[in-house]
Amino acid sequence: MNLNNVEFIKSAAAPKGFIADGLPQIVFSGRSNVGKSSLLNKLCNRKSLARVGSMPGKTTTVNLFSIGEGYILADLPGYGYAKRSFEEKQRWARLMEHYFNSDRNISLSVLLLDIRHNPSNDDLQMLDFLMQTNTPFMVVLTKKDKLNKTDQKQHFEDFTLFLKPYRPLDIVAFSTLENDTANTVRASIINIIKQKEKQDDTE
Ligand code: GDP
């Protein structure tokens, strides 16, 4: 897959739209403001693939992008935005339920968590959801630069311990200020996908 050659396909609000030619999807999710747009822009070397920081929590569509070699990148709307109305939260919950339960092929879900904070209730719900739906996932711990080196190490260890029962395929720390961390995330995604392709071949 080529993350440097990403093309927007569509925004989808209904289950029918979540499928793009039946291709396997790599799905990005996380709380509003966790840094998802920033990560996606870095991964894909784009300035504004995903709009950074604009109207947090307002998006209730799944944005689909083609990333070549038969894969789709799906950008899920951020969750947990406090100022959302009840109706908006309901709409989000329905959207997620439909997305994860609809009949598409999720190769990998990338869940973003802020390295500074304990997972929120919404994060925990998302983790439970990923477990229940048997979705293979990895975790990106964002905004690493906001902690000093000692805390980075400590928080990383704490997350590793906490996440163990959920069995993530990988956990990596990321900062928009450190390009090598984008490379690490990219390499991890590609590695997991390659492993999966190998497994699928032997099954
Ligand atoms: P989204 O709502 O999850 O898409 O989050 P954004 O990508 O819009 O980021 C939310 C805010 O956090 C923005 O002000 C970003 O500039 C900031 N931010 C995102 N990632 C990082 C990071 O790695 N380091 C720092 N210092 N700020 C970040």
Side-chain angles (χ1 to χ4, degrees):
M1 98 202 44
N2 185 354
L3 290 172
N4 285 321
N5 192 12
V6 177
E7 276 180 43
F8 176 72
I9 305 175
K10 61 182 167 182
S11 285
K16 257 196 311 195
F18 297 156
I19 300 161
D21 297 331
L23 295 173
Q25 304 194 356
I26 300 171
V27 187
F28 287 78
S29 64
R31 293 189 79 184
S32 292
N33 215 36
V34 70
K36 183 157 57 67
S37 312
S38 304
L39 172 70
L40 285 173
N41 290 333
K42 274 278 174 195
L43 284 182
C44 303
N45 286 322
R46 288 283 192 90
K47 279 221 169 65
S48 59
L49 179 72
R51 278 173 300 148
V52 177
S54 62
M55 299 205 296
K58 276 288 174 200
T59 41
T60 41
T61 54
V62 173
N63 294 322
L64 299 176
F65 302 85
S66 145
I67 48 176
E69 288 182 35
Y71 282 93
I72 299 290
L73 186 159
D75 178 16
L76 301 191
Y79 52 81
Y81 183 55
K83 286 189 186 142
R84 261 190 193 185
S85 67
F86 179 73
E87 287 75 21
E88 251 186 299
K89 284 181 181 160
Q90 294 287 90
R91 202 159 56 230
W92 183 87
R94 263 201 312 275
L95 188 75
M96 286 307 95
E97 186 119 5
H98 285 146
Y99 180 77
F100 281 100
N101 289 324
S102 67
D103 191 19
R104 27 14 354 76
N105 176 358
I106 298 180
S107 270
L108 173 66
S109 178
V110 183
L111 175 64
L112 278 67
L113 299 171
D114 190 319
I115 195 168
R116 294 171 296 172
H117 310 303
N118 288 333
S120 67
N121 283 338
D122 296 305
D123 291 326
L124 296 177
Q125 263 184 28
M126 194 54 153
L127 281 164
D128 285 336
F129 205 39
L130 291 170
M131 283 253 286
Q132 281 161 23
T133 52
N134 239 332
T135 307
F137 78 101
M138 65 177 282
V139 170
V140 175
L141 300 173
T142 62
K143 308 194 186 184
K144 151 180 195 258
D145 60 278
K146 297 219 179 198
L147 294 179
N148 65 37
K149 288 267 185 273
T150 313
D151 286 346
Q152 281 177 19
K153 191 166 173 287
Q154 186 61 52
H155 286 218
F156 192 92
E157 282 170 15
D158 292 347
F159 267 104
T160 304
L161 207 62
F162 173 80
L163 290 167
K164 203 166 175 205
Y166 296 96
R167 290 193 273 143
L169 295 170
D170 201 3
I171 304 171
V172 291
F174 171 75
S175 159
T176 48
L177 305 182
E178 301 166 34
N179 282 335
D180 61 317
T181 63
N183 293 336
T184 307
V185 176
R186 209 181 283 118
S188 177
I189 293 173
I190 290 171
N191 185 35
I192 291 171
I193 296 294
K194 282 210 172 121
Q195 296 279 351
K196 194 164 185 295
E197 282 174 354
K198 256 197 228 155
Q199 268 173 17
D200 291 348
D201 279 351
T202 53
E203 270 170 19

